[in-house]
């Protein structure tokens, strides 16, 4: 639809930072509860027609349609900060606080009428941006505005 009508889209990926360590130290039930709470939170931040889905073991993907790049990035940052502020818990075995954070990636795509977006490439670029966010210290959102995977159709002939 974005290519048919020429409206922008954004893909957001979130990944729970160090979830495997949380599962190892506090039990898999704790990790499952974090993922459940994160899914509930996501539904409150995004519109009913946005696609919010579990992407892999410990990550979520959100596809936003007709959303400006600054709005998508702001939403991703609000989710990240809410998780950092509210998702921590106390391990009652030793009464130590446990911090829960997420890293995120936002790929913003300006789509023109007739553009075709390669979903595999879009997802690969989002995953690479998510890896950069994690590599730069976690608990941050990496924004990409120069997605180059939209191809105009029909392709220009090379004569």
């Amino acid at each position: 639809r974005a290519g048919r009508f020429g409206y922008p889209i954004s893909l957001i990926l979130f990944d729970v930072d160090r979830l495997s360590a949380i599962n190892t130290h506090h039990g898999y039930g704790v990790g499952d509860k974090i993922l459940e709470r994160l899914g509930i939170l996501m539904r409150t931040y995004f519109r009913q027609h946005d696609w919010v889905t579990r992407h892999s073991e410990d990550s979520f993907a959100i596809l936003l349609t007709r959303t400006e790049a600054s709005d998508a990035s702001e939403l991703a940052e609000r989710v990240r900060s809410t998780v950092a502020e509210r998702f921590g818990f106390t391990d009652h075995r030793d009464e130590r606080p446990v911090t829960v954070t997420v890293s995120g990636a936002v790929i913003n795509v300006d789509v023109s009428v007739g553009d075709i977006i390669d979903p595999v490439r879009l997802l690969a670029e989002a995953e690479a941006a998510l890896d950069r966010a994690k590599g730069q210290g976690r608990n941050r959102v990496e924004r990409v505005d120069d997605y180059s995977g939209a191809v105009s159709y029909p392709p220009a002939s090379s004569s």
Side-chain angles (χ1 to χ4, degrees):
R1 286 187 193 159
R4 182 183 302 158
F5 300 111
Y7 55 77
I9 63 169
S10 297
L11 176 63
I12 302 173
L13 290 184
F14 286 109
D15 188 81
V16 179
D17 295 328
R18 297 184 174 94
L19 185 63
S20 60
I22 290 172
N23 282 333
T24 300
H25 291 100
H26 306 286
Y28 285 87
V30 171
D32 290 345
K33 194 63 153 175
I34 290 168
L35 291 170
E36 179 184 332
R37 288 178 59 201
L38 187 55
I40 292 167
L41 173 76
M42 300 269 183
R43 283 303 337 151
T44 65
Y45 272 87
F46 300 102
R47 301 167 297 192
Q48 184 176 2
H49 66 271
D50 293 330
W51 293 30
V52 178
T53 185
R54 186 93 172 260
H55 172 59
S56 66
E57 186 175 313
D58 56 356
S59 65
F60 290 85
I62 301 96
L63 182 64
L64 304 171
T65 58
R66 297 182 184 184
T67 304
E68 296 301 319
S70 59
D71 294 335
S73 298
E74 181 182 319
L75 282 167
E77 181 58 32
R78 284 177 43 205
V79 169
R80 185 214 55 80
S81 66
T82 298
V83 170
E85 292 168 8
R86 297 186 189 168
F87 272 54
F89 62 94
T90 300
D91 185 334
H92 294 294
R93 295 176 299 181
D94 57 13
E95 297 303 317
R96 290 194 327 199
V98 178
T99 302
V100 177
T101 60
V102 294
S103 294
V106 181
I107 306 292
N108 297 301
V109 185
D110 273 332
V111 182
S112 298
V113 173
D115 282 357
I116 298 173
I117 300 164
D118 179 352
V120 174
R121 182 174 176 182
L122 180 64
L123 190 54
E125 288 198 27
E127 288 172 342
L130 184 59
D131 288 344
R132 286 193 302 275
K134 288 187 165 287
Q136 294 175 9
R138 294 181 173 85
N139 192 26
R140 62 183 307 276
V141 174
E142 181 78 11
R143 178 177 169 170
V144 177
D145 290 330
D146 57 353
Y147 174 75
S148 59
V151 179
S152 293
Y153 185 80
S157 62
S158 56
S159 37

